[in-house]
């Protein structure tokens, strides 16, 4: 199902405090606008990482806040090799939104309730 907006949150340091700030702002945006919103939490692997050699012992667990939000509807996780020229093209193909908001870890979605809603 296509969404109005896909918020793409790029995890960098996977800092729980910064991710909490970002994910809480995404949730506030979802709750206070009338738009269909999805959040795609994105991780890029280094180009030389062979996913076939990864095993559970070597993989760091996702921060607790990410695991919590992945339990909610319209929050998804996407991981792929980070080759800049193609990485975001693949991310945008995975997203379901008509419009996109790109956040780095620690950024917040800015909006005000006093403005009229966007029309699509």
């Amino acid at each position: 199902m296509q969404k109005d907006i896909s918020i793409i949150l790029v995890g960098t340091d996977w800092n729980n405090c910064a991710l909490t700030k970002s994910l809480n702002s995404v949730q506030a945006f979802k709750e206070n606008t009338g738009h269909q919103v999805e959040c795609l939490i994105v991780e890029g692997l280094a180009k030389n990482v062979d996913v076939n050699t990864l095993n559970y012992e070597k993989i760091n667990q996702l921060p607790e806040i990410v695991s919590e939000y992945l339990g909610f509807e319209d929050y998804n996780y996407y991981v792929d090799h980070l080759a800049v020229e193609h990485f975001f093209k693949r991310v945008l193909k995975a997203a379901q939104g008509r419009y996109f908001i790109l956040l780095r870890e620690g950024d917040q979605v800015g909006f005000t309730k006093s403005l009229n809603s966007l029309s699509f």
Side-chain angles (χ1 to χ4, degrees), residues 47 55 77 120:
K47 220 175 184 179
N55 58 47
Y77 175 71
F120 294 98

Side-chain angles (χ1 to χ4, degrees), residues 9-29:
L9 174 58
V10 180
T12 51
D13 296 329
W14 295 100
N15 177 292
N16 204 52
C17 184
L19 288 165
T20 299
K21 184 177 175 182
S22 297
L23 289 167
N24 287 344
S25 82
V26 170
Q27 187 62 27
F29 183 77

Side-chain angles (χ1 to χ4, degrees), residues 33-47:
T33 65
H35 303 300
Q36 292 292 319
V37 178
E38 75 158 339
C39 180
L40 192 57
I41 304 163
V42 176
E43 181 175 6
L45 297 175
K47 220 175 184 179

